[in-house]
Amino acid sequence: MFDTLSDRLSATFKNLRGKGRLSQQDIDDTLREIRRALLEADVSLQAVRPFVAAVRERAEGTEVSKALNPAQQIVKIVNEELVAILGGETRRLRFAKNPPTVIMLAGLQGAGKTTLAGKLARWLKTEGHTPILVAADLQRPNAVTQLQVVGDRAGVPVFAPEPGNGVGNPVKVAQDSIDFAKAKMHDVVIVDTAGRLGIDAELMKQAADIRDAVKPDEILFVLDAMIGQNAVETALAFQDGVGFDGVVLTKLDGDARGGAALSVRAVTGKPVMFASSGEKLEDFDVFHPERMAGRILD
Ligand code: GDP
C-alpha cells in the first residue's frame, strides 16, 4: 500500500533538493504534484483540498522562506499535515466504568469484520481483558461457525444463539450476551453484526436495532482499505444509518493505493483506531497516525 504515492511524493521532493530560497513557482509546482499524487492514490477530494491548503499556508510562510534547507522544511510540513489528516493522536478504546464494555462492529460483508473480531479479542486478551465474541450475524448460514473458528483460534468464548432460542433474532442474541458476560465476569463484549455486499436499508436498520438494544460503548466501523474510492461513500452511509465512534482499516497489507486510509478521518470526522494487515490474528495493531505518515514518506 502507498507505494505509488510514496514514489510520487519522493520524486516531487527530489526536485526541490539543493535549492536555496524557493520561488512561488517552486511552491506552486510542488503543491500541484502533491495534489495530483493524492488524487491518483484515490484520496477523496474532500480530504485533499484542506490538506493542500494547510501545506500551502505553511509553505508560503516564514518557516520555509527563512529555513536553511527549504526542501527539508517542506517534507517536514507534509509529514506533519499527513499526521494531522490521519487524526493526529492515537485514539484509544474507551472502557465502560461498569463492565462489560460493549464494542459493536459494523461494516459491509467481506470487509473483514469476523477476522477483525478475532484479532480484537486476541489483542484485548493480551492487554489483560476477558472478552467474549457475540455472533449477532445471523444472515449468512455459516457466519456463526466462522466466528466460532475465529474464537477458537483467539482462545475466546463465543456467545451464539441456542437452537430454538432467539435463532434469527440478532437483537435478542446481542442483549442476552450482555447478561451472560455479567454472569461470567467477562469485561468486554464484542458484537459481530451482519454485513451485506452492498449498503441496504434492512442491514442498517438491523444494526441500528442492535445498537439501541445494547447501547455500545464503542461502535467500530470496519472498512476494507482495498475498496478505494467507494470507501468514502460506504463510510458516510454507515455514519448516517448506524453512526460510529471509530474506524478499523483492514487489508492494509494489500496493494491498493491507500486513499481510504487517508480520506476516512477527514470525511467522517471519526478517528481510525485500529489497523488490520493480514490474515493472521497477530496482524493487528492500534493505529498510529505518525507511523502511517512515516510509511508514506519513507
Ligand atoms: P466479514 O464478511 O466482514 O466478516 O469478512 P471476513 O472476516 O470473513 O473477511 C473476508 C476475507 O478477507 C477473508 O478471506 C479474510 O481472510 C480476509 N481478510 C480479513 N482481514 C484481512 C486483512 O487484514 N488482510 C488480508 N489480506 N485479508 C484479510
Side-chain angles (χ1 to χ4, degrees), residues 108-116 119 140 146 192 250-254 276-279 283:
L108 291 182
Q109 185 179 319
K113 245 180 307 100
T114 307
T115 311
L116 182 269
K119 291 177 172 184
R140 279 186 303 140
Q146 199 194 338
D192 188 20
T250 65
K251 310 192 193 178
L252 285 169
D253 52 317
S276 180
S277 56
E279 309 224 19
D283 299 329

